[in-house]
Amino acid sequence: MQTATENNFSFLQNNFFTCGTTAICGSRGWLLPSSDNFNADDAAIYRREGLRLEASLEAARQAGYSDIIAALHYPPLYDAANESVFAELLERYGVRHCVFGHIHGSDASMVFEGIRNGITYKLVSCDTQGFTPQLVK
């Protein structure tokens, strides 16, 4: 993607970016095993994206950051009662806030938003937020 954008953009992939004393970590994420159409191909991508998220979180930890925000494309949870590799990693690394997208329109009601195990989960797809930037603090 770096090459495709002629290095005009930077992407979260096995790395992190900083904003003051906060590390911003993340990965694309993927469909969750609780999804009705999750299959063996999805399982391989799900595991790989978990490894990418862990690499990002570990890089921030190794650099001395403890205040971490996570950004994922796909939701890390569909329901607060479910588990996922993404939610487990966010908890293990002490992430305080997770923003995610991918979900639009009326589908927004089908994902978990709120606080779970000390982490605030927030859907930030532009159409679900009235095309208004969201403050993450």
Side-chain angles (χ1 to χ4, degrees):
M1 291 190 314
Q2 279 308 132
T3 303
T5 62
E6 298 177 354
N7 292 318
N8 289 314
F9 294 92
S10 297
F11 298 92
L12 279 174
Q13 186 175 27
N14 304 332
N15 60 357
F16 68 96
F17 297 102
T18 61
C19 182
T21 60
T22 301
I24 302 165
C25 298
S27 82
R28 171 179 60 170
W30 196 247
L31 288 177
L32 302 177
S34 59
S35 179
D36 290 340
N37 54 351
F38 188 84
N39 61 40
D41 291 335
D42 292 316
I45 298 168
Y46 173 80
R47 284 190 301 275
R48 183 187 68 222
E49 289 300 316
L51 293 171
R52 286 181 171 163
L53 177 58
E54 186 169 24
S56 177
L57 294 164
E58 185 60 28
R61 177 186 278 173
Q62 290 295 318
Y65 289 89
S66 59
D67 184 24
I68 300 173
I69 294 172
L72 293 114
H73 178 76
Y74 285 84
L77 293 167
Y78 295 140
D79 183 293
N82 292 106
E83 295 296 329
S84 77
V85 67
F86 309 114
E88 186 274 323
L89 287 165
L90 299 178
E91 291 170 22
R92 185 179 345 143
Y93 282 85
V95 170
R96 65 180 173 88
H97 204 103
C98 177
V99 294
F100 58 93
H102 185 71
I103 305 298
H104 301 280
S106 61
D107 289 343
S109 64
M110 299 189 308
V111 298
F112 173 72
E113 286 189 90
I115 299 173
R116 178 181 183 263
N117 297 334
I119 302 168
T120 300
Y121 292 88
K122 178 70 176 158
L123 174 63
V124 295
S125 298
C126 60
D127 62 319
T128 67
Q129 304 305 310
F131 297 90
T132 303
Q134 298 298 295
L135 180 62
V136 177
K137 38 179 169 164

